[in-house]
Amino acid sequence: MKKLICTMTLAALLCGAAGAANGSYTVTAELSPDITVKIDGVERVFYNAQGKEVHPISYAGTTYVPIRSIGELMDKNVNWDEATSTATIGGTRVTPDATGTPDRNAREQEISLRMEPGYTIVIDGVKRTFYDVNGKQVDPALYNGSIYLPIRAIGEIMGKTVSWNEATETVFLSSGSADGSVTDFDTANPTKPTNPVNPTQPTGSVTLEQAKQTALDHAGKTASQVTFVKAHQDFDDGRWVYEVEFIVQSGSAYLEYDYEIDASTGKIISYDYDAEGYQPSGSGNSGAGVSVSESTAKQTALNRVPGASASNIYKFKLDFDDGRWEYEGTIIYNQMEYEFTIDANTGSIVEWDVESIYD
């Protein structure tokens, strides 16, 4: 067995066995550069061997950081055994923490994260299995050449209290108890409340109309120039957000603008726009050409997956494609992933794809 030492020059080799582990599966996660990590009150910024800043990743209520960064946090060496797909954290660290240039252009974005249940993680000679706050096992992950581990579990192994400040988007690992401004990290709104008191305007948040105006101002448009396709509140990665989407005519073509806005601060989290070659039915009406409601479309898809419920719908959106309005979504249930497209005018399923999450 060949053991590779994870030094600054060899850190990227931690992914050498990316295809070797059994049971690997790919999920959609979120790169979260806005999350700050503080260890005993000191903010930590992490870099890879090439001096590029690396950021936390959020998936299913758990936040991950690279194993190389974890080695720095624990002041221990990180070793990789390619033959057995085993990463080891232990011993006194012999290399300095990596330094580099902060990534000023980083933004939250969806990424493909590969989960590696076949990887073995040994910390201080003990094989570790990681769990979230609800007792569910959490697998190691692989992204851009680095193994990622859940920071909450690592904090507990270090004997530290792990807590979360929603207002500043900061995770704390501290030797003392958390103060009143923070809550347990994985229980800080990990899922959308079943019956929120006021789902359209949480306490201290901006309104939907303010969020729409923020998007319009950023795009340099007025309400009379656009047709809103989507404007609603959602709960995503531990916080309330507004999803705002509108189309703008540009000559004979159209531009589609898509914004995600923090519902507490009004800050634009992410945005993009794409050229769309279509003519919407009607004008000035965000529901033009849409006869089927979201709830009806969701139920149509769920009827094809016996046993699945609305909580198993992980993605769902209204879009305009190939000259028609349609609902696109994903159901994950019983270790299978179902991707579907439903005609928003007729309610018929026009695309249906099924695969194992382990493929």
Side-chain angles (χ1 to χ4, degrees), residues 17-31:
N22 294 323
S24 301
Y25 59 99
T26 301
V27 299
T28 299
E30 185 172 88
L31 192 67

Side-chain angles (χ1 to χ4, degrees), residues 82-348:
E82 185 174 2
T84 60
S85 299
T86 300
T88 303
I89 302 175
T92 302
R93 190 170 181 82
V94 296
T95 57
D97 293 352
T99 59
T101 303
D103 184 3
R104 304 298 185 190
N105 297 318
R107 66 179 182 87
E108 293 193 358
Q109 58 182 301
E110 286 191 350
I111 61 170
S112 293
L113 185 66
R114 183 161 179 165
M115 310 306 291
E116 296 289 356
Y119 281 5
T120 299
I121 308 298
V122 177
I123 300 178
D124 292 331
V126 179
K127 179 180 176 181
R128 299 286 184 168
T129 301
F130 305 109
Y131 299 90
D132 64 18
V133 71
N134 298 313
K136 181 181 179 181
Q137 185 170 333
V138 180
D139 296 322
L142 189 68
Y143 176 68
N144 271 2
S146 294
I147 296 173
Y148 280 67
L149 299 177
I151 192 169
R152 179 183 181 277
I154 294 300
E156 291 179 348
I157 290 171
M158 295 170 66
K160 296 184 180 294
T161 298
V162 184
S163 49
W164 171 251
N165 186 311
E166 179 71 24
T168 61
E169 296 184 85
T170 302
V171 56
F172 296 88
L173 276 68
S174 57
S175 299
S177 60
D179 61 36
S181 66
V182 295
T183 58
D184 182 270
F185 187 53
D186 279 357
T187 56
N189 295 323
T191 57
K192 186 174 182 178
T194 303
N195 293 302
V197 175
N198 187 353
T200 60
Q201 188 178 348
T203 302
S205 74
V206 298
T207 65
L208 175 58
E209 290 306 312
Q210 288 172 329
K212 290 166 67 175
Q213 191 60 51
T214 295
L216 289 171
D217 291 343
H218 184 273
K221 305 296 179 182
T222 64
S224 63
Q225 294 175 306
V226 312
T227 298
F228 281 97
V229 176
K230 175 172 61 177
H232 67 260
Q233 192 177 73
D234 198 4
F235 198 88
D236 188 36
D237 292 318
R239 64 180 166 192
W240 288 99
V241 298
Y242 286 112
E243 302 282 353
V244 178
E245 185 177 326
F246 54 83
I247 55 176
V248 180
Q249 186 171 4
S250 177
S252 60
Y254 284 79
L255 291 177
E256 180 184 74
Y257 291 77
D258 194 353
Y259 285 83
E260 184 177 60
I261 297 173
D262 191 300
S264 295
T265 65
K267 176 183 176 182
I268 295 175
I269 299 170
S270 63
Y271 72 93
D272 60 61
Y273 63 91
D274 306 292
E276 298 287 346
Y278 65 84
Q279 295 287 338
S281 305
S283 61
N285 180 358
S286 61
V290 178
S291 302
V292 177
S293 68
E294 288 190 5
S295 60
T296 298
K298 288 180 179 179
Q299 191 58 53
T300 297
L302 289 170
N303 290 341
R304 293 282 295 270
V305 188
S309 65
S311 63
N312 299 115
I313 299 178
Y314 283 74
K315 287 185 178 181
F316 190 85
K317 70 175 183 178
L318 176 66
D319 200 5
F320 198 96
D321 191 32
D322 295 329
R324 69 182 171 210
W325 289 101
E326 57 190 26
Y327 292 107
E328 298 176 355
T330 301
I331 297 171
I332 299 179
Y333 179 71
N334 199 22
Q335 300 182 347
M336 300 296 290
E337 180 178 76
Y338 305 83
E339 293 186 349
F340 60 86
T341 300
I342 296 176
D343 191 303
N345 186 43
T346 67
S348 61

Side-chain angles (χ1 to χ4, degrees), residues 7-12 47-52 54 68 72 98-99 146:
T7 63
M8 286 192 292
T9 56
L10 296 178
Y47 301 92
N48 62 17
Q50 292 73 42
K52 181 179 179 181
V54 291
R68 187 178 188 283
E72 293 182 1
T99 59
S146 294

